[in-house]
PDB file of all heavy atoms in Angstrom:
ATOM      1  N   GLY F 224       1.701  25.939  -8.060  1.00  0.00           N
ATOM      2  CA  GLY F 224       2.920  26.291  -7.359  1.00  0.00           C
ATOM      3  C   GLY F 224       2.986  25.747  -5.956  1.00  0.00           C
ATOM      4  O   GLY F 224       4.019  25.807  -5.322  1.00  0.00           O
ATOM      5  N   GLN F 225       1.881  25.207  -5.428  1.00  0.00           N
ATOM      6  CA  GLN F 225       1.982  24.577  -4.121  1.00  0.00           C
ATOM      7  C   GLN F 225       2.814  23.309  -4.262  1.00  0.00           C
ATOM      8  O   GLN F 225       3.050  22.801  -5.343  1.00  0.00           O
ATOM      9  CB  GLN F 225       0.598  24.287  -3.543  1.00  0.00           C
ATOM     10  CG  GLN F 225      -0.085  25.553  -3.056  1.00  0.00           C
ATOM     11  CD  GLN F 225      -1.126  25.288  -1.983  1.00  0.00           C
ATOM     12  OE1 GLN F 225      -1.342  24.163  -1.589  1.00  0.00           O
ATOM     13  NE2 GLN F 225      -1.760  26.347  -1.511  1.00  0.00           N
ATOM     14  N   PHE F 226       3.254  22.801  -3.128  1.00  0.00           N
ATOM     15  CA  PHE F 226       4.269  21.750  -3.133  1.00  0.00           C
ATOM     16  C   PHE F 226       3.880  20.558  -3.987  1.00  0.00           C
ATOM     17  O   PHE F 226       4.682  20.044  -4.766  1.00  0.00           O
ATOM     18  CB  PHE F 226       4.540  21.299  -1.704  1.00  0.00           C
ATOM     19  CG  PHE F 226       5.630  20.289  -1.594  1.00  0.00           C
ATOM     20  CD1 PHE F 226       6.938  20.653  -1.858  1.00  0.00           C
ATOM     21  CD2 PHE F 226       5.356  18.976  -1.263  1.00  0.00           C
ATOM     22  CE1 PHE F 226       7.957  19.722  -1.772  1.00  0.00           C
ATOM     23  CE2 PHE F 226       6.370  18.048  -1.173  1.00  0.00           C
ATOM     24  CZ  PHE F 226       7.667  18.423  -1.428  1.00  0.00           C
ATOM     25  N   GLU F 227       2.623  20.112  -3.885  1.00  0.00           N
ATOM     26  CA  GLU F 227       2.217  18.951  -4.651  1.00  0.00           C
ATOM     27  C   GLU F 227       2.140  19.261  -6.143  1.00  0.00           C
ATOM     28  O   GLU F 227       2.007  18.368  -6.968  1.00  0.00           O
ATOM     29  CB  GLU F 227       0.873  18.415  -4.141  1.00  0.00           C
ATOM     30  CG  GLU F 227       0.992  17.660  -2.826  1.00  0.00           C
ATOM     31  CD  GLU F 227       1.242  18.567  -1.632  1.00  0.00           C
ATOM     32  OE1 GLU F 227       1.067  19.794  -1.748  1.00  0.00           O
ATOM     33  OE2 GLU F 227       1.621  18.044  -0.567  1.00  0.00           O
ATOM     34  N   GLY F 228       2.189  20.536  -6.518  1.00  0.00           N
ATOM     35  CA  GLY F 228       2.187  20.917  -7.916  1.00  0.00           C
ATOM     36  C   GLY F 228       3.580  21.097  -8.482  1.00  0.00           C
ATOM     37  O   GLY F 228       3.735  21.531  -9.620  1.00  0.00           O
ATOM     38  N   LEU F 229       4.613  20.773  -7.707  1.00  0.00           N
ATOM     39  CA  LEU F 229       5.991  20.888  -8.192  1.00  0.00           C
ATOM     40  C   LEU F 229       6.143  20.087  -9.477  1.00  0.00           C
ATOM     41  O   LEU F 229       5.705  18.952  -9.566  1.00  0.00           O
ATOM     42  CB  LEU F 229       6.957  20.367  -7.125  1.00  0.00           C
ATOM     43  CG  LEU F 229       8.456  20.478  -7.415  1.00  0.00           C
ATOM     44  CD1 LEU F 229       8.857  21.941  -7.545  1.00  0.00           C
ATOM     45  CD2 LEU F 229       9.247  19.823  -6.299  1.00  0.00           C
ATOM     46  N   ARG F 230       6.784  20.666 -10.460  1.00  0.00           N
ATOM     47  CA  ARG F 230       6.821  20.070 -11.799  1.00  0.00           C
ATOM     48  C   ARG F 230       7.361  18.648 -11.790  1.00  0.00           C
ATOM     49  O   ARG F 230       8.413  18.361 -11.237  1.00  0.00           O
ATOM     50  CB  ARG F 230       7.687  20.932 -12.732  1.00  0.00           C
ATOM     51  CG  ARG F 230       7.704  20.422 -14.167  1.00  0.00           C
ATOM     52  CD  ARG F 230       8.317  21.465 -15.079  1.00  0.00           C
ATOM     53  NE  ARG F 230       9.740  21.643 -14.858  1.00  0.00           N
ATOM     54  CZ  ARG F 230      10.684  20.956 -15.507  1.00  0.00           C
ATOM     55  NH1 ARG F 230      10.360  20.031 -16.374  1.00  0.00           N
ATOM     56  NH2 ARG F 230      11.956  21.199 -15.280  1.00  0.00           N
ATOM     57  N   ARG F 231       6.607  17.761 -12.427  1.00  0.00           N
ATOM     58  CA  ARG F 231       7.043  16.391 -12.665  1.00  0.00           C
ATOM     59  C   ARG F 231       7.187  16.210 -14.169  1.00  0.00           C
ATOM     60  O   ARG F 231       6.508  16.863 -14.943  1.00  0.00           O
ATOM     61  CB  ARG F 231       6.024  15.373 -12.143  1.00  0.00           C
ATOM     62  CG  ARG F 231       5.548  15.640 -10.730  1.00  0.00           C
ATOM     63  CD  ARG F 231       6.648  15.457  -9.706  1.00  0.00           C
ATOM     64  NE  ARG F 231       6.163  15.740  -8.363  1.00  0.00           N
ATOM     65  CZ  ARG F 231       6.946  15.956  -7.330  1.00  0.00           C
ATOM     66  NH1 ARG F 231       8.253  15.917  -7.453  1.00  0.00           N
ATOM     67  NH2 ARG F 231       6.443  16.211  -6.142  1.00  0.00           N
ATOM     68  N   SER F 232       8.054  15.324 -14.557  1.00  0.00           N
ATOM     69  CA  SER F 232       8.270  15.103 -15.979  1.00  0.00           C
ATOM     70  C   SER F 232       8.219  13.612 -16.267  1.00  0.00           C
ATOM     71  O   SER F 232       8.926  12.831 -15.634  1.00  0.00           O
ATOM     72  CB  SER F 232       9.638  15.665 -16.395  1.00  0.00           C
ATOM     73  OG  SER F 232       9.871  15.427 -17.763  1.00  0.00           O
ATOM     74  N   PRO F 233       7.373  13.175 -17.215  1.00  0.00           N
ATOM     75  CA  PRO F 233       7.269  11.747 -17.509  1.00  0.00           C
ATOM     76  C   PRO F 233       8.608  11.099 -17.849  1.00  0.00           C
ATOM     77  O   PRO F 233       8.845   9.951 -17.472  1.00  0.00           O
ATOM     78  CB  PRO F 233       6.305  11.712 -18.698  1.00  0.00           C
ATOM     79  CG  PRO F 233       5.456  12.929 -18.526  1.00  0.00           C
ATOM     80  CD  PRO F 233       6.396  13.970 -17.981  1.00  0.00           C
ATOM     81  N   GLU F 234       9.470  11.840 -18.546  1.00  0.00           N
ATOM     82  CA  GLU F 234      10.758  11.228 -18.894  1.00  0.00           C
ATOM     83  C   GLU F 234      11.647  11.019 -17.674  1.00  0.00           C
ATOM     84  O   GLU F 234      12.596  10.229 -17.705  1.00  0.00           O
ATOM     85  CB  GLU F 234      11.502  12.048 -19.952  1.00  0.00           C
ATOM     86  CG  GLU F 234      11.919  13.441 -19.535  1.00  0.00           C
ATOM     87  CD  GLU F 234      10.923  14.508 -19.934  1.00  0.00           C
ATOM     88  OE1 GLU F 234       9.724  14.169 -20.074  1.00  0.00           O
ATOM     89  OE2 GLU F 234      11.336  15.669 -20.104  1.00  0.00           O
ATOM     90  N   TRP F 235      11.334  11.694 -16.584  1.00  0.00           N
ATOM     91  CA  TRP F 235      12.092  11.492 -15.351  1.00  0.00           C
ATOM     92  C   TRP F 235      11.571  10.289 -14.580  1.00  0.00           C
ATOM     93  O   TRP F 235      12.258   9.766 -13.708  1.00  0.00           O
ATOM     94  CB  TRP F 235      11.994  12.721 -14.447  1.00  0.00           C
ATOM     95  CG  TRP F 235      12.564  13.981 -15.028  1.00  0.00           C
ATOM     96  CD1 TRP F 235      13.293  14.109 -16.174  1.00  0.00           C
ATOM     97  CD2 TRP F 235      12.435  15.301 -14.485  1.00  0.00           C
ATOM     98  NE1 TRP F 235      13.632  15.428 -16.386  1.00  0.00           N
ATOM     99  CE2 TRP F 235      13.119  16.183 -15.365  1.00  0.00           C
ATOM    100  CE3 TRP F 235      11.818  15.817 -13.358  1.00  0.00           C
ATOM    101  CZ2 TRP F 235      13.192  17.553 -15.136  1.00  0.00           C
ATOM    102  CZ3 TRP F 235      11.891  17.183 -13.128  1.00  0.00           C
ATOM    103  CH2 TRP F 235      12.571  18.038 -14.009  1.00  0.00           C
ATOM    104  N   GLY F 236      10.333   9.889 -14.856  1.00  0.00           N
ATOM    105  CA  GLY F 236       9.751   8.758 -14.161  1.00  0.00           C
ATOM    106  C   GLY F 236       9.289   9.072 -12.753  1.00  0.00           C
ATOM    107  O   GLY F 236       9.051   8.153 -11.955  1.00  0.00           O
ATOM    108  N   THR F 237       9.130  10.348 -12.422  1.00  0.00           N
ATOM    109  CA  THR F 237       8.761  10.723 -11.053  1.00  0.00           C
ATOM    110  C   THR F 237       7.274  11.031 -10.900  1.00  0.00           C
ATOM    111  O   THR F 237       6.803  11.214  -9.782  1.00  0.00           O
ATOM    112  CB  THR F 237       9.572  11.952 -10.595  1.00  0.00           C
ATOM    113  OG1 THR F 237       9.424  13.001 -11.557  1.00  0.00           O
ATOM    114  CG2 THR F 237      11.050  11.604 -10.450  1.00  0.00           C
ATOM    115  N   ASP F 238       6.546  11.109 -12.009  1.00  0.00           N
ATOM    116  CA  ASP F 238       5.111  11.334 -11.904  1.00  0.00           C
ATOM    117  C   ASP F 238       4.404  10.003 -11.662  1.00  0.00           C
ATOM    118  O   ASP F 238       4.918   8.928 -11.979  1.00  0.00           O
ATOM    119  CB  ASP F 238       4.576  12.001 -13.164  1.00  0.00           C
ATOM    120  CG  ASP F 238       4.724  11.104 -14.389  1.00  0.00           C
ATOM    121  OD1 ASP F 238       5.883  10.731 -14.708  1.00  0.00           O
ATOM    122  OD2 ASP F 238       3.710  10.753 -15.012  1.00  0.00           O
ATOM    123  N   LEU F 239       3.230  10.050 -11.071  1.00  0.00           N
ATOM    124  CA  LEU F 239       2.532   8.832 -10.673  1.00  0.00           C
ATOM    125  C   LEU F 239       2.200   7.957 -11.868  1.00  0.00           C
ATOM    126  O   LEU F 239       2.361   6.728 -11.810  1.00  0.00           O
ATOM    127  CB  LEU F 239       1.248   9.193  -9.910  1.00  0.00           C
ATOM    128  CG  LEU F 239       0.409   8.006  -9.432  1.00  0.00           C
ATOM    129  CD1 LEU F 239       1.214   7.095  -8.517  1.00  0.00           C
ATOM    130  CD2 LEU F 239      -0.857   8.500  -8.731  1.00  0.00           C
ATOM    131  N   THR F 240       1.753   8.553 -12.961  1.00  0.00           N
ATOM    132  CA  THR F 240       1.385   7.760 -14.137  1.00  0.00           C
ATOM    133  C   THR F 240       2.562   6.917 -14.628  1.00  0.00           C
ATOM    134  O   THR F 240       2.414   5.719 -14.898  1.00  0.00           O
ATOM    135  CB  THR F 240       0.886   8.671 -15.265  1.00  0.00           C
ATOM    136  OG1 THR F 240      -0.287   9.361 -14.831  1.00  0.00           O
ATOM    137  CG2 THR F 240       0.554   7.867 -16.518  1.00  0.00           C
ATOM    138  N   SER F 241       3.736   7.527 -14.715  1.00  0.00           N
ATOM    139  CA  SER F 241       4.916   6.799 -15.175  1.00  0.00           C
ATOM    140  C   SER F 241       5.283   5.680 -14.211  1.00  0.00           C
ATOM    141  O   SER F 241       5.647   4.571 -14.622  1.00  0.00           O
ATOM    142  CB  SER F 241       6.106   7.750 -15.336  1.00  0.00           C
ATOM    143  OG  SER F 241       5.853   8.722 -16.325  1.00  0.00           O
TER     144      SER F 241
END
Side-chain angles (χ1 to χ4, degrees):
Q225 286 205 0
F226 184 69
E227 285 73 14
L229 183 63
R230 184 168 69 91
R231 312 293 179 196
S232 179
E234 64 265 26
W235 298 351
T237 53
D238 64 301
L239 180 58
T240 298
S241 297

